[in-house]
Amino acid sequence: VQPILDIQELKKCQEIIESIYIKEELINYIAKIVVSTRKNPDLYLGASPRASLSILKASKAFAMINGRAFVTPDDVKFVTPAVLNHRIILSHEREMEGQEAEDVIKEMIEDITVPR
């Protein structure tokens, strides 16, 4: 396996990601998404507060990859299913119906008003 980054380059990427701007409204949006996982009857177990931090960091990284110095609502919507998919547990009823966690996540995201 050939390394593509050394430790200094990796730290520089982390610093750049940390510097990506995110509006307070988007931070609140992320919080609403995570809180909604704890109130959703289709879920047996919702996401923890650490999930909020992971969505925040992933959104910033996705913005950076797309050449922006700021996070958009679409960045949050894009990364959220990947971040939450393994952090929630479907209710037994939904699982028996064959529903997927990602479907529930996408429904929740659509139900929450996106800040503009």
Side-chain angles (χ1 to χ4, degrees):
V1 176
Q2 294 293 325
I4 57 171
L5 296 173
D6 62 28
I7 192 70
Q8 289 80 20
E9 292 169 320
L10 181 60
K11 287 183 180 199
K12 181 66 177 164
C13 287
Q14 289 173 329
E15 289 171 8
I16 292 170
I17 290 168
E18 279 295 315
S19 73
I20 299 293
Y21 177 74
I22 184 165
K23 291 166 102 177
E24 186 72 28
E25 292 89 354
L26 286 178
I27 294 172
N28 292 332
Y29 177 58
I30 292 168
K32 286 178 186 176
I33 292 170
V34 172
V35 167
S36 73
T37 67
R38 293 187 220 126
K39 296 178 178 180
N40 191 312
D42 293 334
L43 299 178
Y44 174 73
L45 182 67
S48 73
R50 286 188 316 176
S52 301
L53 297 174
S54 294
I55 294 171
L56 175 76
K57 288 179 183 179
S59 297
K60 286 182 167 193
F62 191 65
M64 183 192 80
I65 289 168
N66 284 289
R68 282 181 277 104
F70 57 91
V71 175
T72 67
D74 288 336
D75 295 330
V76 175
K77 289 173 82 170
F78 181 82
V79 302
T80 295
V83 173
L84 292 183
N85 200 28
H86 70 281
R87 297 173 188 268
I88 61 172
I89 298 175
L90 283 176
S91 69
H92 299 299
E93 294 81 17
R94 296 301 162 257
E95 205 171 283
M96 295 293 282
E97 292 170 0
Q99 194 168 16
E100 299 288 329
E102 190 166 338
D103 298 329
V104 174
I105 295 166
K106 287 180 179 178
E107 287 173 18
M108 286 187 307
I109 291 170
E110 292 305 315
D111 288 343
I112 299 171
T113 304
V114 179
R116 294 287 170 193

